[in-house]
Amino acid sequence: EWVVLAALRPPPPPPPDGWLGAVGIGDPLELLHEGGWWPVVLRQRKRPAASSKKKSAVLPTARQAARQTAAAEGAPAATEAPAQPPSDGLKYLVSAQANEHLVQWVESGVLRPWSSAEVDRPPPPPPAEWVWPREGDEIEVEVEDGDRTVWCPAVVTAVLVDSWLRAEINGTALTGGGGGGEGGSSTWSDWFTWQEEGVDWRRGGAAEAAAEE
């Protein structure tokens, strides 16, 4: 993906020794998982018994794979995983920020302080009655086209467990057929949350339903 320089930032510096001692239960952290850093919340810490066995990961790999794919499109593959500091001997129970039931016991070497900006925090969980979109669903996305706004057709291509969804937008209805894709392409992808439904995106048929009312 092509981005402006202002949208990039360097990786955070290594945390000081013993930094996890100051982290409280419920504080945000980042977890190294499948080559990337993902937002989690600290739920518990303990010193494992000598005979305890490492538990298998239960955080959803589909979410990680989808977001890694979106971030790595057009970029060269990483040659090696980030270096991990030595473990402090404790076990830490962390959960996905958007779902406290998705948990995993990990060691300190795969954790680092929360480094993302406030705008990067995952959205709160959607209400229980919210209907989750599915990959392949047809939606419409609001796009600015000069001095007007146009609802362009789009197709959902990914849905993450924290309610982020990615859609491929068809901008052929825009003036001149141009769009937000690379080089003015008429098709491009963008990310949305459940909170933006009805404002930045709407489900297919929403316009007809509103007209009937």
Side-chain angles (χ1 to χ4, degrees), residues 97-143:
Q97 282 195 355
N99 190 336
E100 63 180 9
H101 300 295
L102 300 175
V103 298
Q104 178 179 351
W105 283 99
V106 299
E107 297 180 352
S108 62
V110 295
L111 296 173
R112 75 178 184 186
W114 173 257
S115 61
S116 297
E118 182 69 25
V119 70
D120 295 327
R121 287 184 179 270
E129 64 273 15
W130 189 70
V131 179
W132 288 73
R134 297 183 179 182
E135 292 185 16
D137 282 359
E138 295 181 354
I139 63 173
E140 295 176 329
V141 173
E142 188 180 54
V143 180

Side-chain angles (χ1 to χ4, degrees), residues 143-150 175:
V143 180
E144 292 186 2
D145 184 27
D147 58 355
R148 63 173 186 150
T149 57
V150 177
T175 302

Side-chain angles (χ1 to χ4, degrees), residues 172-212:
T172 54
L174 302 178
T175 302
E182 182 179 347
S185 171
S186 61
T187 61
W188 70 97
S189 293
D190 204 351
W191 288 90
F192 306 92
T193 73
W194 70 269
Q195 294 174 304
E196 297 169 328
E197 183 175 3
V199 179
D200 295 328
W201 70 276
R202 64 189 183 189
R203 301 173 195 261
E208 291 81 358
E212 292 176 359

Side-chain angles (χ1 to χ4, degrees), residues 14-31:
D17 293 341
W19 67 274
L20 268 170
V23 177
I25 303 301
D27 286 350
L29 296 169
E30 293 182 357
L31 169 69

Side-chain angles (χ1 to χ4, degrees), residues 44-56:
Q44 188 178 341
R45 54 163 61 88
K46 71 176 181 179
R47 185 173 298 279
S51 60
S52 66
K53 296 181 180 180
K54 184 177 181 180
K55 296 187 178 181
S56 59

